[in-house]
Amino acid sequence: MIDEAVPETRGASDGTPADRTASRTVAVWDLPLRLWHWALAVSILAAWFTPSVYDTLHRIVGYTVLGLLAFRLIWGFWGSRYSRFRMVGVRLRVAPHYLWNLRRGMTGRYIGLNPAGTLMLVALLLAIAISAITGAMSVTVTFFGLWWVEDTHAIASDAVIVLAVVHVLGVVLMGLLQRENLIRAMFTGRKRIRHHQ
């Protein structure tokens, strides 16, 4: 099922029945969101490989992640249509049912994030926020050396990597089930739609 009407399309039809069932694309992920996504991915990888080896770079990357999280929070309320958080609550409520249906290959059709993607977004943002905030806390005079800050930072950082791997696997799986290159969509900002879905 398509979650919302899709007025903006590319690849106009000449009106023949074959053309009406052909794939077209719609703009979904705006440029700021795509830049944020890839900048966050690179920052997380850099943060993962730099602690205790390149501490200065690790801190810079950590502060960069905090800035990226702040941007995403703002963009979730004032960004373009599919960047906003307005559907998060609804999608989270149906996520268990959606994941249950995935066992039978029932993916539905969503232009923006599907319920599983929304669940992953929330989980990743929370884990990244905990990791980044505790990382910043650990270099302050007040919290330096406190075991619970360091342990929370380490656990949250591990959770981010696990969730990121699950996210990539989920994108690949969904792309195979729906026969669509979702990784390319996060570069181009456009997703495929069909008339008869």
Side-chain angles (χ1 to χ4, degrees):
M1 98 181 141
I2 294 178
D3 60 340
E4 296 177 279
V6 186
E8 181 187 348
T9 58
R10 183 172 66 187
S13 166
D14 65 5
T16 65
D19 288 333
R20 280 189 229 115
T21 60
S23 297
R24 298 188 301 169
T25 62
V26 60
V28 178
W29 312 120
D30 58 42
L31 181 61
L33 187 69
R34 297 189 327 262
L35 292 174
W36 170 84
H37 176 271
W38 294 114
L40 187 65
V42 169
S43 297
I44 288 170
L45 282 175
W48 178 253
F49 289 109
T50 55
S52 304
V53 181
Y54 303 102
D55 282 336
T56 301
L57 179 59
H58 187 75
R59 287 182 189 181
I60 292 169
V61 170
Y63 292 129
T64 301
V65 168
L66 284 172
L68 289 168
L69 288 173
F71 167 80
R72 185 64 184 98
L73 185 62
I74 293 167
W75 208 244
F77 293 101
W78 290 285
S80 62
R81 178 181 186 179
Y82 295 103
S83 301
R84 294 181 192 154
F85 295 141
R86 63 186 173 78
M87 293 296 291
V88 167
V90 174
R91 300 258 168 90
L92 287 178
R93 282 193 295 275
V94 300
H97 185 259
Y98 182 84
L99 290 169
W100 182 258
N101 284 338
L102 278 181
R103 297 172 310 116
R104 294 175 284 170
M106 296 171 60
T107 63
R109 184 70 177 158
Y110 292 84
I111 298 302
L113 286 177
N114 63 38
T118 302
L119 183 62
M120 181 55 70
L121 170 71
V122 172
L124 265 171
L125 288 181
L126 284 174
I128 293 167
I130 293 169
S131 174
I133 290 168
T134 55
M137 289 170 63
S138 70
V139 296
T140 64
V141 174
T142 306
F143 296 102
F144 180 79
L146 291 180
W147 68 267
W148 64 269
V149 174
E150 293 179 356
D151 285 359
T152 303
H153 180 65
I155 292 167
S157 299
D158 290 344
V160 168
I161 295 302
V162 170
L163 288 170
V165 170
V166 172
H167 167 57
V168 171
L169 292 174
V171 168
V172 171
L173 174 64
M174 196 60 62
L176 291 172
L177 289 173
Q178 295 185 332
R179 293 185 301 246
E180 180 170 14
N181 189 336
L182 296 175
I183 295 173
R184 183 178 63 196
M186 190 46 83
F187 281 104
T188 66
R190 304 189 72 87
K191 286 181 73 176
R192 202 164 36 81
I193 62 167
R194 295 189 189 96
H195 284 293
H196 297 292
Q197 282 194 324

